[in-house]
Amino acid sequence: MATITRVQPRVLVRASGGPRYAVALAVDALGTGLLRPFLLLYGVTVLRLSAPVTGTAMTVGIVTGLVCMPAVGRWLDRGARSTVVAASMLVRVLGVALLLAAPAGHVWLFATAALFLGIGNQAWPTAHAALVATVAHGRERDTALAGARALRNAALGVGALLATACLAGGTTALRAPAAVTALAYLAAAALAWSVHVHAHPAEAAPAKDRDDEPAPRMLALLAANVIYVFCLNVPEIALPLVLVTQLHASPVWPAAVFVANTVLVVTLQVPVTVLMSRFSRRTVLALSGVVLTASYLGFLAATLLGHGWSTPAIAMVSVVCTIGEIIYAGSATALVTALAPAHVMGRALARFQLSTGFGLAVSPAVITTLAPHGPAALWGSLAAATLLSAFAVATEKDQETRLSSCCPRERAGL
């Protein structure tokens, strides 16, 4: 099993698709950070739509984006890489253009804009992972995926800060970051397309293997991933809900937790992924579930400390939750790319993105439904479900081992 002991920035950039592609990722994330946190606000204040209508339109966009994933997977399996990444960015250009063109009260244009944004947002992670899997291999690929996530989170944070500054000019000033977002997506698409990465999956495996070996189903992994991704909405939804509405803490606390989460991801994603490379990817993914479970139980214990202690305790436990998120993010996609044969890489990643998108779509409803029933209902349920998911990931290892003994392909470090 190959282990990376140190990170060389030049090697990391090359493994991530090259300098131009790294710039494309940063520009794309900067544009997303400008718009994504305020899309709901844009619909309500600029287009003067009701909050339920705006939220429903955004949800429909996310769900429709998921429906398109099988087609994206098949496109990738025909060998397209940078073209699909660029397309995922261009479709969001169209979405932002419709957003800017929508007159006040016009719900259908906003819904169509949310649809195109949803398609692009769902297609991009799959296309990006497939491109990196084509350029880099082994543990270098894992580190490249981690580096891209750190870069993207940094650019998202900068974009969100710029958009927040624009709010000082009033609600109409939201059109400015939307316009900049469209330009950012367009520039990122041009840069991504210019790297001209194309795979030849038909040549990656012998004909007999292509005919006889099915794509890995990864049922336990996909089901567990639905639960794992709840951790991504803990700092954005669960903690603000608990801190502000139940503990009556200042809104400064959830904001501080979110900033700390972003800083930790940016600074630790690559080092932690490199550190974990000495273990199998499946073991690391199961470990992330244990860490997340411990953090959820920590949140439960913190809420029982009483007034004055619960809020700072929750903030401290959020660091543990973020570490679990970092370990999860550094191993989950990497495990899928290691399990999937090259000729079905696109479809495997598309199925994984379906589970991720579904988990992200349902987690706000689940969290807001459980929270009013008390801390035990919220954090106890999340802890139990996550621990069960970690167990499912770990025990599926025996099935993969038996498969590898029948199909002698390289599976080192899974």
Side-chain angles (χ1 to χ4, degrees):
M1 176 173 59
T3 302
I4 296 177
T5 57
R6 60 194 179 96
V7 179
Q8 296 178 343
R10 184 178 301 177
V11 174
L12 181 59
V13 170
R14 185 179 68 248
S16 302
R20 277 179 297 169
Y21 187 70
V23 173
L25 293 184
V27 172
D28 175 77
L30 181 66
T32 300
L34 280 168
L35 181 63
R36 190 173 71 177
F38 303 103
L39 185 57
L40 178 66
L41 187 61
Y42 189 98
V44 172
T45 60
V46 177
L47 301 184
R48 305 196 182 283
L49 304 173
S50 67
V53 168
T54 305
T56 300
M58 293 171 62
T59 301
V60 169
I62 295 173
V63 173
T64 306
L66 291 174
V67 172
C68 295
M69 289 313 302
V72 173
R74 288 192 295 271
W75 190 6
L76 289 168
D77 284 339
R78 288 198 292 268
R81 290 294 186 268
S82 55
T83 302
V84 185
V85 174
S88 71
M89 297 171 176
L90 285 175
V91 74
R92 285 180 286 176
V93 174
L94 181 57
V96 178
L98 290 173
L99 198 66
L100 291 169
H106 203 298
V107 64
W108 289 110
L109 270 180
F110 178 80
T112 306
L115 167 64
F116 285 118
L117 289 170
I119 292 173
N121 288 335
Q122 296 299 333
W124 181 86
T126 299
H128 164 71
L131 186 147
V132 173
T134 302
V135 175
H137 304 281
R139 292 296 180 170
E140 188 178 74
R141 172 195 296 171
D142 300 13
T143 308
L145 290 169
R149 183 171 191 259
L151 175 64
R152 184 168 178 80
N153 273 267
L156 282 170
V158 172
L161 288 174
L162 292 175
T164 302
C166 289
L167 287 178
T171 56
T172 55
L174 282 173
R175 291 188 180 273
V180 174
T181 296
L183 294 175
Y185 286 155
L186 188 61
L191 286 168
W193 179 82
S194 70
V195 301
H196 297 301
V197 175
H198 187 87
H200 301 282
E203 301 173 3
K208 185 178 184 300
D209 287 349
R210 293 199 306 270
D211 295 336
D212 296 343
E213 184 183 11
R217 300 183 68 185
M218 306 179 296
L219 294 180
L221 175 59
L222 296 178
N225 187 55
V226 173
I227 304 300
Y228 270 94
V229 297
F230 274 55
C231 72
L232 302 180
N233 274 332
V234 165
E236 293 188 25
I237 296 174
L239 294 186
L241 185 65
V242 171
L243 287 171
V244 176
T245 66
Q246 295 182 0
L247 298 179
H248 308 292
S250 166
V252 172
W253 280 102
V257 167
F258 183 79
V259 170
N261 174 271
T262 302
V263 171
L264 288 173
V265 169
V266 171
T267 57
L268 297 182
Q269 185 66 70
V270 172
V272 170
T273 301
V274 171
L275 180 65
M276 293 290 106
S277 67
R278 67 190 64 190
F279 307 106
S280 74
R281 297 177 181 90
R282 189 178 290 278
T283 298
V284 174
L285 184 57
L287 174 64
S288 71
V290 175
V291 175
L292 289 171
T293 299
S295 72
Y296 297 152
L297 293 176
F299 287 134
L300 175 59
T303 58
L304 303 178
L305 292 178
H307 184 72
W309 292 99
S310 291
T311 297
I314 286 176
M316 293 178 62
V317 175
S318 70
V319 174
V320 180
C321 186
T322 299
I323 296 298
E325 173 193 335
I326 290 170
I327 299 173
Y328 156 71
S331 57
T333 303
L335 178 58
V336 175
T337 61
L339 288 173
H343 62 286
V344 292
M345 179 75 72
R347 277 167 284 178
L349 287 170
R351 286 203 297 268
F352 183 73
Q353 180 59 28
L354 276 171
S355 70
T356 299
F358 179 76
L360 290 175
V362 302
S363 57
V366 173
I367 290 171
T368 53
T369 299
L370 290 174
H373 297 284
L378 174 60
W379 301 118
S381 298
L382 287 179
T386 305
L387 187 61
L388 181 62
S389 299
F391 178 76
V393 168
T395 54
E396 196 181 33
K397 181 177 182 179
D398 292 334
Q399 300 170 10
E400 297 296 342
T401 302
R402 288 194 295 270
L403 178 62
S404 64
S405 66
C406 299
C407 305
R409 295 189 302 110
E410 181 183 2
R411 289 182 177 269
L414 295 186

